[in-house]
């Protein structure tokens, strides 16, 4: 049975605040398993790296206010109509942010470049963990259905990021949009933010070829 | 000189021997900050010529770290730890150099261009440039072209521009154009970032391109008259 969000929820933004501790736990584990850290964490650099990672974790725990939003946009809107979902699919938009500014993190870390670099790497993994939470949250509205993420590639030659499209979709979350904005160059502010476009395919429907 | 050696021996401090210089070199490469700090403090207390120590031992150690990274022998975290260990030594030496007539290799300013808030690549370059003996002004992220021009007015002869997005790299073109329009052809512009290529650097009229942090150091050196 296709459950989905009720039709009257179209255009309604669901909001969630997320606890940082479990996200950081997941992020630390994934970072530590990366090849770039596996060997260094067994070398003479291990003590410095471990201490740096602890500081990075403390910094994120102190500054982050993870928030997420989920939205079933009106399919008749031009921003939504331009998405590449296939016939019969429902499009969902997910937005999440760690809710803190990189420059604040740099200051919190006493402008220590190594610790700040580690904080950036850990924050990225934390954001991805939050992004997975958003996908799971979306999936919970559509039990048994298949979800896939859509890329928003730009029209301009070589652009991997369509700034105008992202700006248009961000506007659907309202004027606040979890405090996430775009710079004129299309960079999220705060930096650690994700906009996810998810297509939900009804059970039993085959993908278009 | 003999009298100086006698005094140093009497106080229990001596200049670093070759073994200790090797140990300092290895400690920087291995990221052992405490060892670096101990040896540099000993060198200072022993009357070592710190400028020479920096040029002959410490900067070559960071160059070795950069080379190891470029060859794929070490990863970014190891380079970070090495750079931090190096900084531990520089922090001790810097006040001494400031009181002498020491000149940095060159004065370099760096920033992520207007509209780009990414600083991960830019910060790596900052660390490697400092480790190579440059005086570095970090202008931060989302830096408008006018700020780079102001830095040039303060005597920074090399401007490094960083961009991580295909949509922000065009801001580099604006910076180059503004420098050329202002007649500041004496200032060299080096570009880099995940989406930047040598072709793009040539297209916008930048003076050099660095494909990663150690290569950015090479690129900066390549635009300096002395090939420092």
């Amino acid at each position: 049975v296709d459950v989905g969000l009720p039709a009257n929820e179209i255009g309604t933004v669901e909001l969630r605040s997320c606890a940082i501790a479990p996200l950081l736990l997941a992020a630390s584990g994934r970072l530590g398993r990366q090849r770039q850290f596996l060997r260094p964490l067994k070398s003479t650099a291990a003590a410095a790296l471990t201490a740096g990672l602890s500081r990075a974790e403390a910094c994120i725990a102190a500054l982050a206010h993870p928030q997420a939003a989920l939205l079933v946009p009106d399919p008749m809107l031009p921003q939504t109509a331009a998405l590449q979902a296939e016939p019969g699919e429902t499009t969902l938009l997910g937005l999440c942010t760690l809710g803190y500014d990189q420059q604040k993190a740099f200051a919190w870390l006493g402008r220590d470049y190594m610790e700040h670099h580690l904080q950036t790497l850990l924050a990225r993994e934390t954001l991805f963990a939050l992004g997975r939470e958003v996908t799971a949250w979306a999936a919970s509205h559509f039990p048994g259905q298949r979800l896939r993420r859509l890329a928003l590639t730009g029209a301009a030659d070589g652009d991997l990021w369509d700034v105008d499209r992202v700006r248009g979709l961000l506007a659907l979350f309202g004027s606040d949009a979890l405090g996430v904005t775009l710079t004129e160059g299309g960079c999220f502010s705060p930096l650690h933010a994700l906009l996810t476009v998810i297509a939900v395919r009804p059970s039993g429907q085959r993908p278009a070829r | 000189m003999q009298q100086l050696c006698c005094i140093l021996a009497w106080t229990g401090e001596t200049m670093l021997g070759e073994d200790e210089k090797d140990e300092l070199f290895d400690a920087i490469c291995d990221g052992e900050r405490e060892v670096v700090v101990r040896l540099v403090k000993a060198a200072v207390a022993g009357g070592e010529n710190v400028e020479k120590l920096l040029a002959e031992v410490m900067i070559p150690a960071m160059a070795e770290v950069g080379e190891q990274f470029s060859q794929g022998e070490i990863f970014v975290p190891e380079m970070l730890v090495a750079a931090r260990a190096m900084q531990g030594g520089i922090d001790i030496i810097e006040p001494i150099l400031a009181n002498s007539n020491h000149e940095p290799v060159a004065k370099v300013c760096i920033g992520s261009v207007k509209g780009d808030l990414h600083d991960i690549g830019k910060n790596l370059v900052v660390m490697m440039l400092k480790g190579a003996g440059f005086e570095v002004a970090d202008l931060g992220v989302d830096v408008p072209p006018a700020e780079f021009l102001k830095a040039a007015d303060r005597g920074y002869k090399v401007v490094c521009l960083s961009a991580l997005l295909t949509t922000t790299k065009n801001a580099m073109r604006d910076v180059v154009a503004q420098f050329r329009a202002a007649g500041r052809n004496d200032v060299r512009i080096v570009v880099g970032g995940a989406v930047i290529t040598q072709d793009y650097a040539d297209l916008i009229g930048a003076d050099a391109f660095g494909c990663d942090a150690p290569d950015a150091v090479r690129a900066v050196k390549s635009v300096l008259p002395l090939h420092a």
Side-chain angles (χ1 to χ4, degrees):
Chain A
V1 179
D2 296 337
V3 181
L5 289 171
N8 63 6
E9 288 196 18
I10 283 177
T12 305
V13 180
E14 284 187 41
L15 291 174
R16 252 186 205 188
S17 289
C18 305
I20 187 67
L23 297 173
L24 271 174
L25 192 65
S28 299
R30 285 175 82 101
L31 200 63
R33 286 190 292 276
Q34 284 179 10
R35 199 168 160 217
Q36 63 167 334
F37 279 99
L38 273 177
R39 190 184 60 199
L41 284 171
K42 291 174 186 161
S43 72
T44 51
L49 271 182
T50 305
L53 285 167
S54 294
R55 286 270 296 159
E57 201 170 319
C59 173
I60 296 170
L63 299 180
H65 302 285
Q67 277 190 298
L70 201 58
L71 163 70
V72 182
D74 183 343
M76 301 310 287
L77 290 172
Q79 298 98 315
T80 319
L83 295 174
Q84 298 153 337
E86 293 171 4
E89 287 184 331
T90 302
T91 302
L92 287 173
L93 294 177
L95 177 66
C96 59
T97 172
L98 295 186
Y100 72 94
D101 182 74
Q102 274 285 86
Q103 296 314 300
K104 277 188 183 164
F106 195 32
W108 195 96
L109 293 164
R111 298 184 63 82
D112 183 306
Y113 281 93
M114 184 192 82
E115 290 176 357
H116 184 57
H117 187 97
L118 296 174
Q119 180 275 136
T120 306
L121 294 179
L122 188 60
R124 192 165 58 186
E125 284 298 334
T126 308
L127 180 66
F128 291 161
L130 181 58
R132 289 192 295 275
E133 290 283 312
V134 172
T135 305
W137 179 23
S140 71
H141 284 297
F142 299 90
Q145 299 192 41
R146 296 189 66 176
L147 277 66
R148 64 186 180 95
R149 281 191 285 258
L150 303 177
L152 294 173
T153 48
D157 184 33
D159 271 1
L160 301 172
W161 185 239
D162 188 330
V163 178
D164 291 337
R165 232 170 177 189
V166 173
R167 204 183 301 279
L169 292 175
L170 201 55
L172 298 180
F173 286 90
S175 56
D176 177 49
L178 306 180
V180 177
T181 57
L182 278 185
T183 68
E184 61 188 82
C187 189
F188 276 130
S189 177
L191 184 64
H192 298 295
L194 270 181
L195 178 69
T196 315
V197 184
I198 304 168
V200 184
R201 183 181 305 144
S203 307
Q205 181 180 313
R206 289 177 178 275
R209 297 187 66 129
Chain B
M1 184 63 190
Q2 193 179 3
Q3 193 182 7
L4 176 64
C5 289
C6 287
I7 292 167
L8 293 174
W10 178 70
T11 57
E13 304 289 355
T14 57
M15 288 195 274
L16 297 188
E18 287 307 308
D19 286 351
E20 285 164 312
K21 287 178 181 172
D22 287 348
E23 190 184 354
L24 176 59
F25 185 96
D26 290 343
I28 291 170
C29 292
D30 293 341
E32 295 179 294
R33 186 181 165 103
E34 288 78 14
V35 178
V36 173
V37 168
R38 174 174 59 77
L39 287 168
V40 172
K41 276 183 177 170
V44 170
E48 188 84 44
N49 180 335
V50 288
E51 196 168 348
K52 210 171 160 191
L53 189 72
L54 188 66
E56 294 181 1
V57 180
M58 297 172 71
I59 289 174
M62 275 311 291
E64 171 64 18
V65 169
E67 183 63 22
Q68 287 177 7
F69 176 78
S70 297
Q71 296 297 322
E73 293 170 15
I74 61 170
F75 294 108
V76 167
E78 288 152 307
M79 193 161 71
L80 288 172
V81 173
R84 194 163 183 268
M86 172 77 171
Q87 192 59 45
I90 289 175
D91 288 346
I92 298 164
I93 289 174
E94 232 167 24
I96 299 166
L97 294 178
N99 287 329
S100 67
N101 290 324
H102 171 77
E103 288 289 324
V105 177
K107 290 173 74 175
V108 181
C109 72
I110 183 169
S112 298
V113 291
K114 181 76 183 155
D116 203 319
L117 304 180
H118 294 91
D119 58 3
I120 194 161
K122 184 257 305 169
N123 289 347
L124 274 175
V125 175
V126 170
M127 280 188 277
M128 293 307 285
L129 284 171
K130 284 185 174 178
F134 290 93
E135 182 182 321
V136 184
D138 182 357
L139 304 181
V141 297
D142 195 19
V143 182
E147 291 303 312
F148 290 109
L149 276 162
K150 282 182 194 168
D153 291 342
R154 294 196 300 271
Y156 290 90
K157 293 296 181 193
V158 182
V159 171
C160 294
L161 308 176
S162 172
L164 207 86
L165 298 177
T166 51
T167 51
T168 56
K169 71 178 183 183
N170 289 334
M172 288 181 166
R173 189 196 293 265
D174 297 339
V175 178
V176 175
Q178 291 205 21
F179 267 85
R180 301 308 177 231
R184 296 304 307 264
N185 293 324
D186 57 317
V187 177
R188 301 292 171 206
I189 300 177
V190 177
V191 295
V195 296
I196 308 302
T197 61
Q198 181 66 58
D199 284 349
Y200 186 72
D202 294 341
L203 181 72
I204 64 172
D207 295 294
F209 158 71
C211 67
D212 57 26
D215 196 49
V217 175
R218 178 209 54 77
V220 168
K221 287 179 176 176
S222 77
V223 299
L224 291 171
L226 293 177
H227 269 239

